[in-house]
Amino acid sequence: MKRTLLLATVAVVTGSAAHAQSVTYNHDSSKQNQITVMETGTGALTPELYYTLLHNSYKKSAAAKNKLSFRTLAGVNLYNQVDDAEAIDSALVSRAKIEALNVADRQVDLAWLAEGDKIDSQMERLQTNIDRILLAGGTPDDKERWTEYYRVYQSAINATKDAYMPNAQRKKEYLRIYEDIVRQNEILVGYLAYRQNATVTSGLLNATDERNLNKGSIVREAVNRWNESRFAVRGSQSGGSSGGGEGDETVNK
């Protein structure tokens, strides 16, 4: 029974396949002509009366607007772009090499190795002078003002270290900072000298004001010194005249 059912099924499938294979392609010449004209520009559109009455403008330009001409033109343009692409590639490779050198130049701070010691020296000098402000007679506000200057320069140094710039530009920035620190140090030294001189002068004036001058005593001491000097001179002249001589002065006691 099963064998009979299997044979029947195979027969039905085979019959269906034979029927499908018997169906043939119905050729449509008008469609083929239209596709040929669209793809390669050869042939003619049919039926001619249909295209003449309803699609006359398309009929006149269909052959000139075929896809083959566009494909050919696109291929030529692509071929011409090979040289442009190679030129662009060469330019990009060259630029990449330059940028690689730029990145390497920006990652290593060679400018600080060259200028860092003298900048640190000036910063230490500035800090030392700031610490002398109160000792020289300055005010806490003056010290705070100069301390802010110190912080500004320290921030500028740190920003230059962290900046993404070539070493040549970085060195210029370090030198500008160094020159400014030197100039401010000179101003601060002048300020300290002024405050120191003012303090010393004030101390001398205060010491003079506190002295109690006894003018009478000073006059008496001056007169006594004058008399002692006079008597000493007369005594020496008297001793020198022991041999006798004219014009000698004698003192009667």
Side-chain angles (χ1 to χ4, degrees), residues 219-234:
V219 171
R220 285 193 296 272
E221 290 178 358
V223 171
N224 291 334
R225 288 194 298 272
W226 182 80
N227 288 329
E228 290 176 359
S229 299
R230 185 171 61 86
F231 291 149
V233 171
R234 285 187 175 185

Side-chain angles (χ1 to χ4, degrees), residues 59 103 186 190:
K59 175 184 176 183
V103 171
E186 293 176 354

Side-chain angles (χ1 to χ4, degrees), residues 105-119:
D105 185 42
R106 288 165 170 79
Q107 287 180 343
V108 180
D109 192 355
L110 298 177
W112 181 255
L113 297 178
E115 309 296 340
D117 291 340
K118 63 181 184 181
I119 295 177

